Amino acid sequence: SYHGMFPKLPLGYTKKFIENLSGAGKCIGVLTSGGDAQGMNAAVRAVVRMGIYVGAKVYFIHEGYQGMVDGGDNIKEASWESVSSMLQVGGTVIGSARCKDFRTHEGRLRAALNLVQRGITNLCVIGGDGSLTGANLFREEWSGLLDELVQSGEISEEASQIHSALHIVGMVGSIDNDFCGTDMTIGTDSALHRIIEVVDAIMTTAQSHQRTFVLEVMGRHCGYLALVSALACGADWVLIPEMPPKDGWEEQMCYKLSESRLRGSRLNIIIVAEGATDRHGNPISSNAVKELVVRCLGFDTRVTILGHVQRGGTPSAFDRILASRMGVEAVLALLEASPGTPACVVSLCGNQAVRVPLMECVQMTQEVQKAMDEKRFEEAVRLRGSSFNVAVLNVGAPAAGMNAAVRSAVRVGITEGHTMFAVSDGFEGFYKGQIKEIKWGDVGGWTGQGGSLLGTKRTLPAKHIDKIAEQMRIHNINALLVIGGFEAYLGLMELQAARSKHAELCVPMVMVPATVSNNIPGSDLSIGADTALNAITDTCDRIKQSASGTKRRVFIIETMGGYCGYLATVGGLAAGADAAYIYEEPFDIRELQSNVEHLTEKMKTSIQRGLVLRNENCSENYTTDFIYQLYNEEGKGVFDCRKNVLGHMQQGGAPSPFDRNFGTKIAAKAMQWISKKLKEFYREGRVFANTEDSACLLGMRRRALVFQPVIQLKDETDFVHRIPKEQWWLRLRPLMKILAKYKTSYDVSDSGQLEHIVHPSI
């Protein structure tokens, strides 16, 4: 009954489908402006293909606003094939340039003429706040510019009437993540990947020689890259523009570094944003920090300035998916725009695409800079947005990011005054008594390590409840933090069910989802899933590249996930797959045959390589071997086939920046909830928690992290196949098919609605 089911829509929404939105007669121009960012090409590809899909003409505007002003061959109509093989390419293939001409009235007049001559009245601008501000000014002047062109005789009165309104939709492409109104900008996650790759490499040499490294990262006005990379690598100190250190910071930092060495650490990492200053506005350079450490501590210290490395390289899976979703949303926004619709920006709020007025975002971003210029640092940060024993354990299969979550939980718990206990090997280690106190220094360097350093097993607690309760009593455990997958979810339910027989289990319990399968009810995302997606995407890129220059070839790739098709679907979207077979959408031999025929037609006309993903449990009979043999047989004379089973490489490797950051934040929030519940349920010298809301799962739901009683999630769970009955990412499947040139029905009921920015002080 749940096959193909979409999540319930908020009240007030009615279903609407893409086939009811027509782009016939519309012309859309797409440009990238300002600095480049990884993922821009994925956004361009999505705009072009969705635009063509709805019947619109789409034009590349090469070299940003300069190409719009110069016209000629800089403005060319795009075809479906013209955006093939650009998904995995960094930078922007249509070029970007900073344009002085567009800042003048004469330049904007020439740009208007070039657009009208091609019938373009819809612009999709991918860039930073300067690029988007310029686009809004252009829109405001549009009618006046057309009047001037009519008066000069360069266009007719009729052309002026036909093209009387210019619609603008923006997408923010910036590695700095310095634009208010969106949680993440296109390119930020990829830049974090570059930083973390460098930090991970540096840490090995630093440890060998007991060195201190000072890393300078980009961020002239925004410290996001510095702060999140510091969280993701477990840096000792971080300096960012929004939070200049208080006077005397030099002594405090040196004391912290010295204390770390005394605890046995062999290295120190200091991360400095390029725009870091002190409270008096004096710049703090990476070299100045190095000289300070050498002078005060005598530590062997090196400086590494990452520079434009952060802009380069292939986009991460997150940026490809984000840019693809935003590109499609931008086209929908243009189709729905009326003459009175304000220019908007497509933004990400939690896991939800939203549209926000462009100038509200720009004004808020400028307020941040103004507050920093006036040294109102606390406001700038706001504009960006008793002792107990607590046990933490990992349950289920290992997932990259688990260690970051454990480290965060331990350190936040200690900061809040708790004594933290580590349980080895999940519930199996729990009932065997493999429990010991874990201290601040014990989790040093854990953030960047894959797998589970605590050890994890799939054992469920039900058969060992008596022994687990006894261990809870022996160690006086007052709260539990369980980090893991579906077994952790089932285990928490079993512990809660046993409370009636064991008072020791009447303590606050919270689960943080960590599984590559992303199959936990109550959460859109799980720790480890992003790392697995990057492994899939990187492998697919390499596999496709291996066929470069050879004859036409189709690759059949098997992904993990149990019965959950998340990795196959979202990995397929990120890698540009032609099809993805999953359990949630049953398929038969007729659909397989149709897919082969569709791919054959594409192969005959343009593309040289095809990609098909298959979830490991999508069908009992249509196995990877069967699909491989079918495609191989039916494609004879047109293409040949290869197959790959990715296996456990999807679980291994260092966690991605997203998983490190997500694990750190969600575990910290879980510990804060535990502290609150411990105070709430502490009575007469003991903790006693027996309510439904004292055993919760902390999950990302659309826009926010939400605590949900596990007992209330039962009805949302298919326990036989270990998946949620409703899964948000099923909405992305039609999008994947559209971008692969299939005609399909696409429910856009949940597309972003125009929303206003809420000022943090309100």
Side-chain angles (χ1 to χ4, degrees):
S1 62
Y2 55 80
H3 281 315
M5 185 182 289
F6 291 146
K8 292 172 185 173
L9 295 171
L11 290 174
Y13 276 33
T14 54
K15 288 214 169 193
K16 55 181 178 179
F17 293 88
I18 191 68
E19 50 266 41
N20 298 326
L21 296 173
S22 173
K26 290 183 182 282
C27 294
I28 299 171
V30 58
L31 68 146
T32 53
S33 177
D36 65 310
Q38 308 97 316
M40 281 183 165
N41 290 325
V44 170
R45 171 181 177 268
V47 170
V48 168
R49 291 196 166 175
M50 180 54 91
I52 292 171
Y53 182 84
V54 297
K57 284 186 177 180
V58 185
Y59 289 85
F60 291 136
I61 301 177
H62 291 271
E63 311 306 334
Y65 287 118
Q66 191 65 56
M68 193 189 298
V69 172
D70 295 342
D73 288 341
N74 287 306
I75 306 177
K76 291 181 179 177
E77 187 174 351
S79 66
W80 191 276
E81 290 73 25
S82 62
V83 291
S84 295
S85 302
M86 66 191 291
L87 190 61
Q88 67 271 25
V89 179
T92 165
V93 298
I94 61 173
S96 179
R98 303 190 189 277
C99 178
K100 291 182 181 178
D101 292 339
F102 193 74
R103 295 176 184 174
T104 67
H105 183 78
E106 293 74 18
R108 293 192 291 276
L109 190 66
R110 294 209 308 274
L113 175 61
N114 288 326
L115 295 186
V116 170
Q117 286 175 342
R118 293 162 179 80
I120 300 171
T121 55
N122 298 277
L123 278 183
C124 184
V125 181
I126 308 166
D129 63 327
S131 303
L132 299 178
T133 302
N136 190 66
L137 175 63
F138 191 41
R139 175 183 169 276
E140 289 175 347
E141 291 183 347
W142 183 255
S143 59
L145 294 171
L146 294 193
D147 289 343
E148 287 184 50
L149 292 171
V150 170
Q151 290 170 11
S152 65
E154 292 179 88
I155 64 170
S156 66
E157 184 67 43
E158 183 184 5
S160 174
Q161 294 292 328
I162 293 171
H163 306 103
S164 60
L166 178 67
H167 303 298
I168 303 280
V169 174
M171 287 182 276
V172 190
S174 165
I175 68 166
D176 290 341
N177 203 30
D178 56 353
F179 194 81
C180 294
T182 185
D183 289 353
M184 285 285 271
T185 56
I186 296 168
T188 301
D189 187 70
S190 300
L192 285 170
H193 272 256
R194 302 295 93 78
I195 295 169
I196 295 306
E197 286 164 7
V198 171
V199 173
D200 285 351
I202 278 174
M203 286 177 80
T204 55
T205 182
Q207 206 157 26
S208 300
H209 297 279
Q210 296 194 61
R211 281 180 177 150
T212 296
F213 269 85
V214 182
L215 275 80
E216 182 179 302
V217 302
M218 284 185 167
R220 196 177 309 123
H221 304 296
C222 179
Y224 183 87
L225 288 179
L227 182 60
V228 175
S229 59
L231 276 174
C233 72
D236 296 278
W237 202 264
V238 62
L239 294 158
I240 62 174
E242 294 91 335
M243 293 185 70
K246 294 177 181 177
D247 293 343
W249 66 272
E250 297 93 340
E251 292 81 7
Q252 190 181 357
M253 183 186 76
C254 289
Y255 174 77
K256 173 77 164 58
L257 299 181
S258 178
E259 191 181 46
S260 171
R261 290 292 177 96
L262 289 172
R263 287 199 305 264
S265 175
R266 293 178 58 85
L267 77 156
N268 299 114
I269 300 290
I270 301 166
I271 296 185
V272 183
E274 62 178 330
T277 65
D278 64 18
R279 290 263 159 179
H280 309 288
N282 302 311
I284 301 176
S285 70
S286 49
N287 280 315
V289 174
K290 173 196 169 181
E291 290 168 8
L292 172 67
V293 174
V294 172
R295 185 175 68 251
C296 295
L297 298 174
F299 290 173
D300 186 4
T301 306
R302 300 285 190 273
V303 171
T304 298
I305 299 174
L306 270 64
H308 283 75
V309 166
Q310 296 158 88
R311 286 193 189 277
T314 187
S316 67
F318 183 96
D319 273 330
R320 299 185 199 194
I321 296 159
L322 173 67
S324 297
R325 290 177 68 183
M326 283 186 168
V328 168
E329 189 65 42
V331 173
L332 296 178
L334 289 171
L335 292 181
E336 295 171 0
S338 63
T341 303
C344 72
V345 175
V346 178
S347 300
L348 182 73
C349 183
N351 190 36
Q352 184 74 16
V354 296
R355 304 172 195 168
V356 289
L358 187 152
M359 288 315 295
E360 287 186 18
C361 296
V362 170
Q363 286 160 10
M364 182 72 79
T365 305
Q366 291 170 348
E367 276 188 53
V368 173
Q369 188 55 49
K370 184 181 178 185
M372 289 167 62
D373 292 342
E374 296 174 0
K375 298 182 172 57
R376 293 181 282 116
F377 300 113
E378 289 77 11
E379 184 178 342
V381 171
R382 191 180 73 250
L383 289 165
R384 293 281 190 217
S386 56
S387 181
F388 295 97
N389 293 347
V390 180
V392 57
L393 64 156
N394 294 157
V395 177
M402 275 183 164
N403 296 322
V406 172
R407 171 185 175 273
S408 175
V410 168
R411 292 192 168 179
V412 170
I414 291 171
T415 302
E416 302 214 345
H418 306 314
T419 301
M420 300 299 295
F421 285 87
V423 181
S424 300
D425 296 336
F427 289 119
E428 184 173 317
F430 210 147
Y431 82 78
K432 289 180 178 178
Q434 297 172 2
I435 304 167
K436 65 177 182 179
E437 185 179 348
I438 186 166
K439 297 185 177 179
W440 187 281
D442 295 336
V443 292
W446 280 34
T447 311
Q449 297 196 48
S452 167
L453 293 174
L454 286 185
T456 181
K457 295 280 182 72
R458 296 178 183 271
T459 309
L460 293 175
K463 294 179 180 178
H464 313 285
I465 285 291
D466 293 346
K467 291 181 180 179
I468 289 174
E470 183 184 356
Q471 292 297 331
M472 296 274 288
R473 180 184 55 77
I474 291 170
H475 293 90
N476 191 27
I477 302 299
N478 305 122
L480 278 181
L481 171 59
V482 184
I483 302 167
F486 207 84
E487 290 85 1
Y489 172 63
L490 294 174
L492 206 63
M493 285 185 170
E494 291 179 3
L495 291 177
Q496 186 179 36
R499 280 176 167 178
S500 58
K501 295 181 180 178
H502 298 280
E504 294 88 349
L505 300 176
C506 294
V507 298
M509 304 176 186
V510 63
M511 177 200 161
V512 168
T515 167
V516 300
S517 301
N518 198 32
N519 63 333
I520 307 300
S523 188
D524 292 351
L525 301 171
S526 298
I527 297 168
D530 184 72
T531 304
L533 282 174
N534 277 289
I536 293 167
T537 305
D538 290 347
T539 305
C540 288
D541 286 351
R542 293 181 185 187
I543 286 171
K544 287 196 291 184
Q545 195 176 41
S546 72
S548 181
T550 66
K551 60 183 179 179
R552 297 183 180 96
R553 182 164 289 166
V554 173
F555 295 95
I556 314 296
I557 310 291
E558 181 181 298
T559 66
M560 295 176 81
Y563 285 95
C564 180
Y566 175 82
L567 289 180
T569 296
V570 183
L573 182 61
D578 296 279
Y581 300 115
I582 63 171
Y583 171 76
E584 291 90 342
E585 276 192 8
F587 58 96
D588 56 23
I589 194 67
R590 289 180 293 276
E591 184 172 342
L592 288 168
Q593 184 64 36
S594 172
N595 293 155
V596 173
E597 290 170 359
H598 179 82
L599 200 48
T600 302
E601 285 303 309
K602 285 171 69 175
M603 286 284 189
K604 286 178 180 177
T605 56
S606 58
I607 69 165
Q608 298 294 309
R609 288 156 287 176
L611 184 66
V612 175
L613 271 63
R614 177 191 178 273
N615 165 252
E616 59 184 345
N617 287 343
C618 68
S619 170
E620 188 178 349
N621 298 310
Y622 300 130
T623 63
T624 302
D625 283 334
F626 178 90
I627 292 174
Y628 161 71
Q629 290 167 9
L630 176 70
Y631 272 75
N632 212 25
E633 182 65 29
E634 296 299 318
K636 274 185 178 175
V638 180
F639 59 80
D640 66 0
C641 272
R642 296 290 186 273
K643 66 176 178 179
N644 258 75
V645 178
L646 300 185
H648 282 76
M649 67 168 290
Q650 297 158 86
Q651 279 185 334
S656 69
F658 181 91
D659 278 328
R660 299 183 195 198
N661 188 30
F662 185 51
T664 298
K665 289 194 295 187
I666 197 170
K669 193 172 182 72
M671 281 306 305
Q672 289 167 349
W673 177 88
I674 282 175
S675 295
K676 178 184 171 186
K677 290 296 180 184
L678 284 169
K679 291 173 186 174
E680 183 182 325
F681 292 112
Y682 185 70
R683 296 287 183 276
E684 299 177 3
R686 61 172 292 205
V687 174
F688 187 83
N690 199 23
T691 57
E692 281 189 2
D693 66 351
S694 64
C696 283
L697 180 145
L698 174 56
M700 170 66 78
R701 278 273 171 115
R702 293 170 70 88
R703 304 190 187 188
L705 288 170
V706 181
F707 291 94
Q708 303 143 97
V710 288
I711 198 76
Q712 294 178 13
L713 294 172
K714 271 189 174 182
D715 291 340
E716 299 181 23
T717 309
D718 173 2
F719 288 99
V720 175
H721 299 100
R722 298 159 62 93
I723 55 176
K725 291 181 180 177
E726 297 179 357
Q727 303 188 81
W728 69 272
W729 51 265
L730 286 170
R731 289 185 176 276
L732 300 180
R733 287 188 61 76
L735 170 56
M736 184 188 71
K737 291 177 181 177
I738 287 170
L739 297 179
K741 213 172 183 179
Y742 284 90
K743 282 289 179 185
T744 186
S745 179
Y746 181 31
D747 181 3
V748 295
S749 311
D750 206 19
S751 62
Q753 306 298 309
L754 191 64
E755 301 179 7
H756 294 285
I757 289 186
V758 178
H759 198 286
S761 61
I762 295 175

